[in-house]
Amino acid sequence: MDDAAPPPPAPEDGDIEPRPQRNPVFNLPSALVATLALLIAIFLVQTLLLPTSALDWYYYTFGFIPARYVTPLSQQGLEWLWTPVTYSLLHGGVEHIVFNGLWLMAFAAPVVRRIGTARYLIFWVLSSAASAFLHAALNWGEVTLLIGASGVVSALMGAACRFAFPPDRRGSALPQAHLNPRLSITQSLRSRTVFMFVLFWFVGNLLIAFGIPLIGDGSQAVAWDAHIGGFLFGFLLFGLFDKQPDPIEI
């Protein structure tokens, strides 16, 4: 019969046994948390505090309308100047803001960790404008209203395609996706994972363009063109914002 192993020594008085480390359920960069808080605060003000009679003014003043860019400046205010950005902070309903918020948490987190708060804010402003102006180009002169952060979310998706997806032939991905080396545009498209993601993303938006909804009953218009404008901005121009500019060789 084998000898029994001695029991572990009891902790002495004053000793504290270490507790297992717990990882938080949501581990988001502070800049992203602030973004989500701002979007929610704006939505709550819009929903709970603004009277119905003020909503038309609210959307006109802060939403993006392509017709502004064919109207002489002498016949309008300065809304054309700020609405290419402010529209991205507005949402039309609970489903709209929840959907965009979830995608923001998924794709903005690695981008923010990689490029930092200041570059993230610049990225938001420029990708919002890029999304809006492609929408305007394809709806030139129309009195349509564009609101929502989905164009920026699409830009963050495009940016994430340049570094955050698991590699096909470079061994295992790093535990923290934002530390992965940046791929060139060609290398990204040669990645099976990235290529399939981009393919399904574009097919989904083209289905929306032809009136085939992916979620819901399709009664609400979806600005698929703004999504594409944002995605192309993030995918093609991410290198201008990246702190780690040297692509790898595969």
Side-chain angles (χ1 to χ4, degrees):
M1 181 176 178
D2 294 334
D3 293 335
E12 298 179 0
D13 292 342
D15 290 345
I16 301 176
E17 294 183 356
R19 296 181 180 179
Q21 185 177 3
R22 296 181 180 179
N23 293 324
V25 176
F26 294 105
N27 184 18
L28 301 176
S30 57
L32 179 53
V33 173
T35 300
L36 294 169
L38 177 62
L39 296 180
I40 293 171
I42 291 173
F43 180 73
L44 291 177
V45 169
Q46 163 194 330
T47 305
L48 302 178
L49 299 182
L50 282 183
T52 305
S53 58
L55 285 179
D56 288 341
W57 167 86
Y58 176 75
Y59 286 128
Y60 176 82
T61 304
F62 299 107
F64 183 84
I65 302 173
R68 284 196 173 104
Y69 300 92
V70 297
T71 303
L73 297 181
S74 60
Q75 299 178 17
Q76 59 175 311
L78 295 176
E79 291 85 358
W80 62 272
L81 187 60
W82 61 72
T83 53
V85 177
T86 56
Y87 83 91
S88 66
L89 305 176
L90 312 182
H91 291 87
V94 173
E95 182 180 355
H96 192 195
I97 191 171
V98 168
F99 187 79
N100 280 339
L102 291 174
W103 284 112
L104 263 178
M105 288 190 287
F107 286 94
V111 176
V112 174
R113 290 192 182 101
R114 186 177 181 95
I115 67 177
T117 300
R119 297 183 191 209
Y120 163 66
L121 294 176
I122 297 172
F123 184 93
W124 185 291
V125 170
L126 296 181
S127 63
S128 173
S131 302
F133 287 130
L134 182 60
H135 173 76
L138 297 181
N139 299 272
W140 191 246
E142 295 186 10
V143 186
T144 58
L145 177 68
L146 176 65
I147 59 173
S150 55
V152 177
V153 171
S154 299
L156 291 163
M157 290 180 178
C161 285
R162 298 289 300 277
F163 69 93
F165 283 74
D168 294 332
R169 298 185 299 275
R170 291 184 284 125
S172 299
L174 294 174
Q176 297 173 312
H178 67 284
L179 299 178
N180 287 334
R182 189 183 82 237
L183 299 175
S184 69
I185 294 172
T186 302
Q187 290 167 344
S188 298
L189 294 176
R190 288 212 305 260
S191 164
R192 184 181 297 105
T193 304
V194 174
F195 180 81
M196 294 305 297
F197 177 84
V198 172
L199 177 64
F200 283 116
W201 189 91
F202 271 95
V203 168
N205 277 277
L206 289 176
L207 290 175
I208 293 173
F210 285 101
I212 303 174
L214 300 180
I215 299 176
D217 58 6
S219 60
Q220 298 294 326
V222 177
W224 58 271
D225 41 16
H227 296 176
I228 291 177
F231 189 93
L232 291 175
F233 176 91
F235 185 74
L236 298 177
L237 301 181
F238 174 68
L240 299 179
F241 301 88
D242 194 9
K243 288 183 177 180
Q244 303 178 33
D246 296 328
I248 65 167
E249 295 295 333
I250 61 174

